[in-house]
Amino acid sequence: MAYQAQPPPDQNFLWGVFQKVDKDRSGAISANELQQALSNGTWTAFNPETIRLMIVMFDRSNTGTINFQEFGSLWKYITDWQNTFRSYDRDNSGSIDKHELKTALTNFGYRLSDRFYDILIRKFDRSGRGVIAFDDFIQCCVVIQTLTNSFKSMDTNRNGWITIGYEQFLTMVFSIKA
């Protein structure tokens, strides 16, 4: 299934969605409001860590909430992830298995061992079924991209190898904004 770009949603439509999500009418969406509004397709709550990652990514005003303008960007981001998720969920199970995850990440440009995919499945499978739900797929991909960017900043020779000390490693890991 090929990805098909969707036209941007109408601002009136987005405003209506924003108002439904903004339960306390504060003019901003909190992490709790966003979690209640999102569905991962498994009848379980959207992963709180994925919610936190998205708030951090789109909260340009650093308030810990998402205003309407930020919500428009977040809406597009989630829609794009839904399309990506569906395109790699080859069996339409509503989850991503190890093979589908490997296909997705390989297409994103990553070359990782089968052993590492086992680690990813264990890390991001909250259901214990050996598969990754939509919200956990977003988190997995964002974490890998964030860690990759941190690694690349240290890989000055661009050869896939870095030499760093322990404290430098800890500083790199704890400085990540994801």
Side-chain angles (χ1 to χ4, degrees):
M1 174 198 290
Y3 169 76
Q4 294 191 351
Q6 302 294 318
D10 173 281
Q11 289 296 303
N12 290 332
F13 169 79
L14 268 183
W15 179 246
V17 173
F18 181 85
Q19 287 182 309
K20 286 179 183 157
V21 175
D22 181 20
K23 298 281 189 207
D24 65 3
R25 300 288 179 248
S26 65
I29 295 172
S30 68
N32 285 340
E33 289 170 326
L34 185 59
Q35 183 178 24
Q36 291 172 9
L38 293 176
S39 169
N40 66 13
T42 62
W43 302 102
T44 58
F46 215 83
N47 186 329
E49 183 59 20
T50 305
I51 296 291
R52 188 193 68 75
L53 282 171
M54 291 190 302
I55 294 280
V56 166
M57 289 171 65
F58 290 95
D59 177 21
R60 305 282 183 245
S61 54
N62 293 316
T63 60
T65 60
I66 302 292
N67 65 30
F68 177 65
Q69 186 174 1
E70 295 162 342
F71 180 72
S73 299
L74 174 64
W75 180 270
K76 182 182 180 335
Y77 181 78
I78 291 171
T79 302
D80 288 346
W81 272 117
Q82 282 176 322
N83 291 329
T84 300
F85 183 85
R86 286 183 187 127
S87 73
Y88 289 108
D89 179 15
R90 300 280 187 208
D91 60 1
N92 294 316
S93 64
S95 58
I96 298 288
D97 64 24
K98 178 182 169 182
H99 177 72
E100 292 165 333
L101 180 63
K102 183 175 183 177
T103 301
L105 293 180
T106 299
N107 287 345
F108 297 163
Y110 296 99
R111 302 293 178 261
L112 306 166
S113 69
D114 280 345
R115 184 174 166 271
F116 190 73
Y117 285 105
D118 291 333
I119 291 168
L120 288 176
I121 293 290
R122 277 195 309 276
K123 171 74 177 159
F124 294 100
D125 170 22
R126 290 186 301 144
S127 70
R129 299 178 308 134
V131 295
I132 300 176
F134 171 61
D135 52 343
D136 299 316
F137 177 71
I138 294 172
Q139 182 186 357
C140 176
C141 293
V142 169
V143 167
I144 288 174
Q145 182 61 49
T146 303
L147 291 171
T148 299
N149 290 343
S150 293
F151 182 91
K152 283 181 177 179
S153 72
M154 304 289 287
D155 184 13
T156 54
N157 294 332
R158 299 290 181 248
N159 64 1
W161 291 91
I162 62 173
T163 303
I164 59 175
Y166 180 62
E167 189 169 332
Q168 210 176 357
F169 167 75
L170 290 176
T171 301
M172 183 177 81
V173 169
F174 288 120
S175 299
I176 295 173
K177 194 178 176 184

